[in-house]
Amino acid sequence: MNERIIYETEEGGVAVIIPAPECGLTIEEIAAKDVPEGVSYHIVDASEVPSDRTFREAWSWE
Amino acid sequence: MSTVKSSSENLTLNADGAGSDVVIQSNGTTTATITAEGLLQYNSGYGSAATAYGCRAWVNFNGTGTVAIRDSGNVSSITDAGVGSYFVNFTNAMPDTNYSPVHSYTNEVNVQHAVGFLSSLATTYLGVQYYNAANAANSVDKSIVAIAVFR
């Protein structure tokens, strides 16, 4: 499962959900369970999430 | 040697009767018991067959660079909420928030020491955060975070 779930936090930042390998749930099931209720989210390929975290707090979703 | 086996179906050990335990003995000494209440008790070097309290969830993840879970049990995902801030999401929720998480983490080379603490406890997740020990305003990522939850 090389995907990530992205959602915007109440503080205006971006949270990234990393699925556990072999947890037995689909990415959609993980999103339904682990994204805060009522918050919209996006499923993206892991390669779309920057690995450079120097300005992690400045990340935004477009 | 005697062997109890079931070749084609589940093997059921049934201590029939209210309050009856399933007891395993070796040479007359009890080595393990499953009590009528469902408690698993075993010796395994402890000195007597005592109740074992299980690890209900665990995870080892890399919180730097491309954040990734190395391995886990009863964890559906982790949430990278920002620098040094992570949430562990349980596949199966805890029965309450009285569980006891234990966590450890690395101190990165050439970086000032960090302190970590639990930021939240819920039945479906827990949160941890890490800060520079010399400056609480500076959050820091950890390359190895290991968390186990006992209940």
Side-chain angles (χ1 to χ4, degrees):
Chain A
M1 193 181 293
N2 202 26
E3 294 173 301
R4 300 289 186 263
I5 303 162
I6 310 284
Y7 66 89
E8 293 185 28
T9 65
E10 291 181 353
E11 297 76 26
V14 170
V16 181
I17 292 180
I18 298 95
E22 301 173 12
C23 71
L25 301 176
T26 65
I27 190 80
E28 290 81 11
E29 289 171 329
I30 292 171
K33 193 177 74 61
D34 296 342
V35 173
E37 194 171 348
V39 174
S40 61
Y41 62 87
H42 310 272
I43 297 173
V44 302
D45 191 89
S47 63
E48 294 187 48
V49 178
S51 59
D52 184 349
R53 296 171 62 82
T54 305
F55 299 103
R56 171 65 180 85
E57 307 299 11
W59 287 5
S60 61
W61 171 258
E62 294 180 0
Chain B
M1 182 176 76
S2 300
T3 303
V4 178
K5 74 173 188 178
S6 175
S7 58
S8 61
E9 296 180 1
N10 293 337
L11 175 64
T12 300
L13 299 177
N14 185 7
D16 206 6
S20 297
D21 298 336
V22 174
V23 179
I24 299 173
Q25 293 188 334
S26 176
N27 196 28
T29 300
T30 296
T31 56
T33 302
I34 300 174
T35 71
E37 294 77 27
L39 299 177
L40 171 61
Q41 301 175 331
Y42 58 80
N43 187 323
S44 193
Y46 184 74
S48 62
T51 299
Y53 298 96
C55 174
R56 301 298 186 174
W58 64 274
V59 64
N60 179 323
F61 66 87
N62 178 4
T64 63
T66 301
V67 177
I69 296 173
R70 295 187 178 89
D71 213 341
S72 63
N74 193 29
V75 167
S76 57
S77 69
I78 59 171
T79 303
D80 161 22
V83 176
S85 178
Y86 316 99
F87 292 89
V88 176
N89 304 303
F90 306 129
T91 305
N92 296 299
M94 300 298 140
D96 53 41
T97 57
N98 296 332
Y99 58 86
S100 180
V102 178
H103 76 135
S104 57
Y105 49 92
T106 48
N107 255 330
E108 314 308 325
V109 177
N110 297 327
V111 176
Q112 288 187 312
H113 291 303
V115 292
F117 58 87
L118 295 167
S119 58
S120 57
L121 281 180
T123 56
T124 55
Y125 67 87
L126 66 82
V128 289
Q129 285 188 307
Y130 302 95
Y131 290 99
N132 185 321
N135 183 353
N138 286 349
S139 301
V140 290
D141 288 330
K142 299 279 96 185
S143 62
I144 298 176
V145 177
I147 298 172
V149 173
F150 292 88
R151 179 68 175 84

